[in-house]
Amino acid sequence: MLKRPVRKQGIFATLSTTGLLVLSLLMCPVTQADILLLLSSDASYYLETADSLQDTVNKTLPGNPGFSIINLHKTKLPEHQDPHYQLIVAIGSYATREVVNWGGDIPVLSIFTPKNAYESAWSTHDKAPARQASAIFLDQPLSRVITLASLLKPEATRFSTIFGPVSRGLEAELETLTAERGLVLKHGYLDREDNPLSVLRPVVSGTDLFIALPDQAVLNRAIAKWILHLSFQQKVPVIGFSKAYTVAGALASIFSSPDDIGRQAGEHISQWLRNPESTLGKPQYPRYFSISTNPAIARSLGISLPSDSTLYTSIQKQEQAVK
């Protein structure tokens, strides 16, 4: 069983801790494992996700299984899968694509992967997976994002957003959710060749709050740069999808950290292993999440900002009430 050093909190672990994690991962023998953790790379957030998952399983499952790790940044997948594996956990989009192409019939749980990336990986497969396959997505459910926005600015009735090539698939759901709450959604579309400022300016104008949706990396950067600029000019708060968004000038962001995803995955795996006749279940959104707020931005916008913990509890209560 792999023993790990004490986990550091946050997505940016210290270099020394990351070095120890990488060393421990590479030393674990593949052939002695019950569960294979397949990492997309040695990025700190993948390492921390794997660390949190193992810690949770070790705490929640007596006689816990052993773990083996393959880091795809350093090691290629072997030609044949070891039949000793009970489960393959693909951490990240690249690992998910690789395990789909790898084939086989060992159950697969994909984690720390956006919903669209998971669905895209399986859609390129010749057939629907004959084996069990499920996921814990990286994205937040849109209902959770809207709830946070409404908690931060209860009087807001006009929301705005921009859809890119990836997030365009969320348009119908977001329109339905906002309409159900009596909100007006003003939106636009942005592609790589478009001028972000010319697209964003008319969308933001006359609205109460902007919701940033994750899309292609190049569009994420472009939208973040200009929407935060317009937000400052027009006094329109922004809800982001990462802590970096908050630091850069968003009023708040909601996201699931590596620790959040790893914890949920570990609990899910433990429950599955306790019930040999059960399946991995349907793909699901993160149960655990984190909120970061920017008090300086709140003051500049004249918004009374609840504590992060208060916001978290309020969202949890609302979600439990609709179950």
Side-chain angles (χ1 to χ4, degrees):
M1 181 180 66
L2 182 63
K3 293 185 178 180
R4 310 298 302 279
V6 175
R7 181 169 66 257
K8 300 291 184 180
Q9 298 296 324
I11 198 167
F12 299 107
T14 62
L15 291 176
S16 59
T17 300
T18 300
L20 289 172
L21 285 169
V22 172
L23 180 60
S24 64
L25 296 178
L26 295 177
M27 290 176 64
C28 185
V30 172
T31 56
Q32 296 180 9
D34 296 314
I35 295 178
L36 172 62
L37 304 184
L38 197 62
L39 277 67
S40 293
S41 75
D42 55 6
S44 61
Y45 38 89
Y46 296 137
L47 297 172
E48 291 176 26
T49 302
D51 192 34
S52 175
L53 184 157
Q54 290 175 91
D55 283 353
T56 301
V57 172
N58 291 339
K59 291 174 182 176
T60 58
L61 189 66
N64 50 75
F67 289 95
S68 174
I69 296 180
I70 292 180
N71 183 336
L72 292 174
H73 181 70
K74 299 180 180 295
T75 306
K76 291 184 178 180
L77 288 173
E79 184 177 351
H80 301 291
Q81 295 174 8
D82 187 334
H84 184 61
Y85 296 141
Q86 296 172 266
L87 176 70
I88 300 173
V89 181
I91 305 178
S93 301
Y94 179 63
T96 297
R97 292 194 301 270
E98 287 296 294
V99 80
V100 169
N101 294 332
W102 201 16
D105 58 4
I106 298 172
V108 176
L109 178 66
S110 177
I111 65 174
F112 213 83
T113 302
K115 182 176 184 286
N116 73 284
Y118 173 80
E119 293 175 343
S120 176
W122 283 112
S123 69
T124 59
H125 205 238
D126 292 339
K127 299 178 181 179
R131 57 187 162 179
Q132 290 189 55
S134 191
I136 297 171
F137 301 132
L138 180 60
D139 338 39
Q140 300 301 302
L142 290 176
S143 57
R144 183 177 292 165
V145 180
I146 295 171
T147 297
L148 173 63
S150 297
L151 288 170
L152 289 168
K153 197 170 183 182
E155 71 277 14
T157 58
R158 297 164 298 172
F159 285 13
S160 55
T161 194
I162 287 290
F163 297 110
V166 174
S167 57
R168 196 165 296 185
L170 303 174
E171 181 178 352
E173 182 184 359
L174 188 56
E175 285 187 330
T176 298
L177 288 170
T178 49
E180 288 175 349
R181 300 188 184 207
L183 304 170
V184 175
L185 180 66
K186 188 177 181 181
H187 64 270
Y189 305 98
L190 184 67
D191 291 309
R192 282 173 176 259
E193 62 272 14
D194 294 331
N195 181 318
L197 189 57
S198 64
V199 175
L200 283 164
R201 193 187 297 276
V203 171
V204 176
S205 178
T207 62
D208 301 317
L209 185 143
F210 182 90
I211 294 176
L213 301 173
D215 207 277
Q216 296 174 346
V218 62
L219 292 182
N220 288 340
R221 291 191 292 270
I223 292 173
K225 174 183 176 180
W226 291 112
I227 192 56
L228 293 172
H229 172 73
L230 290 172
S231 168
F232 180 79
Q233 282 188 335
Q234 300 189 29
K235 303 298 182 183
V236 175
V238 174
I239 305 299
F241 51 82
S242 68
K243 188 174 183 179
Y245 233 115
T246 307
V247 173
L251 172 63
S253 294
I254 187 164
F255 53 93
S256 290
S257 67
D259 189 69
D260 292 330
I261 298 291
R263 176 186 171 193
Q264 182 174 345
E267 292 174 350
H268 189 69
I269 291 168
S270 295
Q271 184 177 14
W272 178 68
L273 291 173
R274 287 193 192 100
N275 299 278
E277 303 303 318
S278 66
T279 67
L280 285 172
K282 296 180 179 179
Q284 57 189 285
Y285 284 105
R287 180 185 314 123
Y288 305 115
F289 57 92
S290 299
I291 296 171
S292 65
T293 54
N294 191 321
I297 294 297
R299 286 193 296 272
S300 71
L301 295 171
I303 292 176
S304 178
L305 192 65
S307 68
D308 295 356
S309 60
T310 298
L311 290 167
Y312 185 94
T313 301
S314 296
I315 292 172
Q316 275 194 321
K317 287 181 178 179
Q318 290 196 35
E319 292 182 348
Q320 290 168 358
V322 298
K323 285 184 178 180

